[in-house]
């Protein structure tokens, strides 16, 4: 797991100890992201790098316009499944792709979690050739993911590509016959979506 | 107004009331919910307690969770589960076996929290706080007295380990970690103190100070290691 120390987090983001612990108390930063590890001074706290940096950025973007209670609601795991957004309003997905997805899945509104998967995969597919976006999406959206605490891994086997979702941020080691193409954490995508679209709609 | 008065020795099933008055010795077997609860007697609540305004001048033991907007403890309260209150004042004795959360807390009495979390916005007091296994977390922690905790964290932490009421009586407070943007402490023994502005006033014994800002160390303090990017005040 790619970790960042508390000290580095504060230095990079410019937030204070007080802000960090306040957000933890309010549930805006999940407790399980505070990972204690031994260090020469005794114990030090680390965080999953990608998730925490994305979350802090989202909070900083929204904190002046929304109360902590509102942020807690917006960033809670529940809102990922309950809030839906019309795919054609999402700037991160081009209109042609959005129409194709709407036709294929027979619906135009998707949950934040589903859109996180769609954006992640769309982003990946745009950078490669010979990819079947709808095939990957079909695999991705049928994976019954319930939270954003998943690492999405795309790998290829011979001529086909597949998506794998692994809870947490554990690294997967692939045998030589499989090739890792891309991996990213869903929380980073869902946080930015929450900030941009849920707030706009509210 | 739906008022339940328990002036006798006996049992009650619980329920929803506007006001609960306990002057006798009562056991309430179920959950109790009331706008106002005055406990001047001895009560044992086997369920959860939920109220707006709770005052205890007697002895109260709650087996379930306690949730109250306002709590004033002059007697003794024991909560065997979690306690949550917007405004908690303790001039008596309060013991919480679970976690405790108060937006504002003012304690001049003896407060024990046995859970892992003791949280709030403003925790202030001048009595004794024992939270050996807990992380005490608040924006503003100001305490004159003796405090024991696993971790004390927040925006501003001030711990002056002395008696507010009797001059020249000093205590020793203990924590594994104190971490805040601004820290001012005296009479504290801690493994790690970490912050931006740190003032170690008197008789502190600190294993490691990690300061990224301004550091003051009083002459009677001992510090093992100092790390960070700091200037001496």
């Amino acid at each position: 797991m790619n970790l960042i120390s508390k000290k580095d987090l504060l230095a990079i983001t410019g937030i204070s100890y007080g802000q960090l612990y306040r957000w933890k108390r309010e549930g805006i930063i999940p407790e399980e992201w505070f990972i204690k590890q031994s260090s020469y001074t005794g114990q030090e706290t680390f965080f999953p790098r990608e998730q925490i940096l994305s979350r802090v950025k989202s909070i900083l973007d929204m904190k002046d316009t929304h109360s902590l209670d509102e942020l807690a609601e917006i960033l809670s795991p529940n809102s990922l499944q309950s809030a839906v957004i019309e795919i054609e309003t999402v700037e991160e997905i081009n209109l042609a792709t959005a129409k194709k997805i709407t036709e294929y899945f027979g619906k135009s509104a998707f949950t934040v979690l589903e859109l996180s998967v769609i954006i992640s995969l769309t982003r990946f597919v745009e950078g490669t050739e010979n990819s079947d976006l709808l095939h990957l999406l079909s695999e991705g959206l049928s994976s019954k993911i319930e939270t954003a605490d998943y690492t999405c891994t795309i790998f290829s086997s011979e001529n086909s590509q597949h998506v794998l979702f692994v809870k947490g941020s554990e690294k997967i080691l692939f045998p030589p016959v499989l090739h890792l193409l891309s991996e990213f954490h869903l929380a980073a995508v869902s946080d930015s979506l929450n900030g941009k679209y849920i707030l706009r709609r509210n | 107004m739906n008022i339940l008065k328990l002036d006798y020795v006996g049992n009650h099933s619980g329920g929803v009331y506007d006001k609960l008055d306990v002057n006798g010795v009562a056991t309430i077997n179920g959950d109790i919910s009331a706008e106002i609860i005055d406990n001047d007697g001895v009560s044992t609540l086997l369920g959860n307690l939920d109220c707006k305004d709770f005052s205890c001048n007697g002895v109260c033991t709650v087996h379930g969770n306690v949730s109250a907007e306002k709590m004033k403890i002059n007697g003794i309260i024991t909560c065997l589960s979690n306690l949550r209150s917007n405004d908690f004042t303790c001039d008596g004795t309060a013991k919480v076996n679970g976690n405790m959360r108060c937006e504002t807390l003012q304690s001049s009495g003896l407060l024990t929290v046995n859970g892992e979390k003791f949280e709030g916005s403003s925790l202030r007091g001048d009595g004794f706080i024992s939270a050996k296994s807990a992380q005490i977390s608040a924006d503003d922690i100001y305490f004159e007295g003796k405090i024991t905790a696993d971790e004390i964290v927040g925006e501003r932490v001030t711990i002056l380990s002395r008696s507010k009421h009797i001059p020249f009586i000093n205590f020793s407070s203990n924590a594994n970690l104190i971490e805040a943007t601004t820290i001012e402490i005296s009479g504290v023994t801690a493994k790690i103190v970490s912050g931006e502005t740190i003032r170690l006033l008197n008789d502190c014994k600190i294993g490691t100070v990690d300061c990224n800002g301004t550091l003051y160390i009083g002459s009677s303090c001992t510090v093992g290691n100092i790390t960070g990017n700091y200037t001496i005040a």
Side-chain angles (χ1 to χ4, degrees):
Chain A
M1 192 189 292
N2 190 4
L3 299 175
I4 182 172
S5 71
K6 191 194 294 168
K7 204 170 168 181
D8 288 345
L9 173 70
L10 266 52
I12 289 171
T13 59
I15 64 170
S16 69
Y17 285 115
Q19 283 175 303
L20 181 68
Y21 286 113
R22 190 179 311 132
W23 296 342
K24 182 189 178 192
R25 285 197 302 275
E26 298 301 328
I28 299 172
I29 296 178
E31 274 181 44
E32 55 269 26
W33 289 4
F34 289 72
I35 301 163
K36 288 193 173 170
Q37 292 191 347
S38 298
S39 72
Y40 71 99
T41 54
Q43 266 194 341
E44 201 172 340
T45 302
F46 292 84
F47 300 87
R49 175 183 279 272
E50 196 184 354
Q51 291 102 300
I52 190 73
L53 289 175
S54 163
R55 180 59 56 94
V56 170
K57 184 182 179 306
S58 296
I59 297 168
L60 291 175
D61 287 346
M62 294 187 270
K63 75 179 177 63
D64 292 335
T65 49
H66 292 80
S67 69
L68 286 180
D69 286 344
E70 286 172 326
L71 287 183
E73 195 181 327
I74 291 162
L75 296 171
S76 82
N78 293 341
S79 77
L80 296 174
Q81 297 261 47
S82 57
V84 291
I85 302 169
E86 287 290 327
I87 193 167
E88 289 188 15
T89 65
V90 177
E91 292 162 7
E92 286 81 354
I93 302 168
N94 74 50
L95 209 54
T97 308
K99 281 182 174 158
K100 207 191 291 181
I101 292 169
T102 301
E103 256 175 48
Y104 186 83
F105 289 100
K107 62 177 184 178
S108 59
F110 292 83
T111 66
V112 173
L113 205 52
E114 287 172 329
L115 282 173
S116 303
V117 175
I118 292 169
I119 289 173
S120 304
L121 296 177
T122 308
R123 202 183 285 162
F124 165 75
V125 168
E126 279 170 358
T128 61
E129 291 176 6
N130 302 321
S131 298
D132 184 350
L133 171 66
L134 294 173
H135 162 67
L136 286 174
L137 278 177
S138 186
E139 280 192 355
L141 293 180
S142 64
S143 300
K144 295 188 171 43
I145 298 164
E146 290 168 351
T147 75
D149 185 25
Y150 276 87
T151 301
C152 173
T153 304
I154 301 168
F155 65 96
S156 66
S157 160
E158 295 180 344
N159 292 328
S160 60
Q161 294 178 349
H162 302 278
V163 188
L164 187 67
F165 290 93
V166 178
K167 194 155 175 48
S169 307
E170 294 302 325
K171 193 120 185 122
I172 301 171
L173 299 174
F174 284 96
V177 290
L178 302 177
H179 301 287
L180 174 67
L181 300 173
S182 175
E183 64 180 353
F184 38 81
H185 201 274
L186 281 186
V189 186
S190 64
D191 274 0
S192 63
L193 272 176
N194 268 327
K196 205 166 172 183
Y197 297 102
I198 302 291
L199 291 181
R200 187 187 288 175
R201 195 188 56 181
N202 289 346
Chain B
M1 202 174 186
N2 189 10
I3 300 174
L4 173 64
K5 279 183 177 258
L6 300 175
D7 295 336
Y8 49 86
V9 177
N11 290 282
H12 194 275
S13 59
V16 180
Y17 297 92
D18 291 318
K19 188 173 182 186
L20 167 66
D21 265 333
V22 180
N23 293 305
V25 179
T27 298
I28 297 172
N29 294 314
D31 294 346
I32 189 93
S33 175
E35 293 281 309
I36 300 168
I37 296 178
D38 276 333
N39 184 92
D40 295 329
V42 178
S43 64
T44 302
L45 283 72
L46 300 180
N48 299 311
L49 183 156
D50 184 13
C51 77
K52 276 195 178 165
D53 199 336
F54 177 90
S55 76
C56 177
N57 295 304
V59 179
C60 178
T61 303
V62 185
H63 286 240
N65 294 315
V66 174
S67 173
E69 279 186 24
K70 194 173 178 182
M71 294 187 80
K72 188 159 177 58
I73 311 300
N74 293 313
I76 300 171
I77 184 168
T78 303
C79 171
L80 300 180
S81 301
N82 300 318
L83 186 148
R84 192 180 182 101
S85 174
N86 281 346
D87 182 359
F88 187 93
T89 306
C90 178
D91 293 324
T93 300
K95 182 179 172 184
V96 178
N97 275 0
N99 297 325
M100 182 163 182
R101 168 126 192 175
C102 306
E103 283 313 303
T104 61
L105 175 136
Q106 178 70 45
S107 177
S108 297
L110 172 61
L111 176 58
T112 304
V113 178
N114 289 328
E116 292 181 348
K117 289 186 205 169
F118 178 12
E119 299 178 334
S121 295
S122 170
L123 307 180
R124 302 175 79 90
D126 52 51
F128 296 86
I129 291 181
S130 173
K132 286 176 191 164
S133 307
Q135 182 186 69
I136 302 178
S137 173
D139 282 342
D140 179 32
I141 297 171
Y142 182 96
F143 204 74
E144 276 183 79
K146 180 176 169 61
I147 185 165
T148 304
D150 180 27
E151 298 183 351
I152 302 169
V153 301
E155 182 66 39
R156 174 182 290 272
V157 172
T158 304
I159 300 168
L160 306 172
S161 306
R162 66 187 181 205
S163 170
K164 187 181 177 186
H165 307 289
I166 310 168
F168 313 117
I169 298 286
N170 292 323
F171 303 117
S172 173
S173 294
N174 292 277
N176 282 323
L177 171 74
I178 298 174
E179 196 164 72
T181 309
T182 305
I183 297 169
E184 187 168 283
I185 52 178
S186 73
V188 172
T189 301
K191 283 185 185 166
I192 302 171
V193 172
S194 182
E196 286 176 22
T197 303
I198 299 176
R199 287 173 57 79
L200 309 179
L201 300 176
N202 305 309
D203 303 320
C204 290
K205 292 173 190 162
I206 313 298
T208 299
V209 171
D210 181 22
C211 180
N212 287 287
T214 310
L215 174 63
Y216 169 81
I217 302 177
S219 57
S220 60
C221 298
T222 57
V223 175
N225 303 308
I226 305 176
T227 60
N229 185 13
Y230 60 90
T231 51
I232 294 285

